[in-house]
Amino acid sequence: MRKYRILLPFLLMIIGFVLIGFAWSINIGVPLNSICLILGLGLSFFGFFVFVIGLWKNQF
């Protein structure tokens, strides 16, 4: 069970970085690029904060 607690923040950060890269590299239109960028930033920061909080509370 502990392995999944540490994999979740890293998985969120990886998906966020992929969405950010998708938003910056593909010219598909303003609404979809903006949505990918905002979701990617949100997932990246949320994954980082979950990881820091998990380390702070010694959950991992």
Side-chain angles (χ1 to χ4, degrees):
M1 189 67 179
R2 287 185 154 202
K3 182 172 71 171
Y4 295 115
R5 287 185 187 168
I6 199 165
L7 284 179
L8 179 66
F10 285 119
L11 185 65
L12 289 174
M13 286 188 281
I14 290 170
I15 291 172
F17 285 129
V18 168
L19 282 174
I20 291 170
F22 184 72
W24 284 104
S25 65
I26 297 176
N27 190 11
I28 50 179
V30 174
L32 193 55
N33 284 353
S34 299
I35 290 170
C36 287
L37 183 65
I38 291 170
L39 285 176
L41 286 172
L43 282 174
S44 298
F45 288 130
F46 182 70
F48 179 73
F49 289 136
V50 168
F51 180 70
V52 169
I53 290 171
L55 286 178
W56 184 46
K57 291 186 175 184
N58 293 326
Q59 291 181 354
F60 296 132

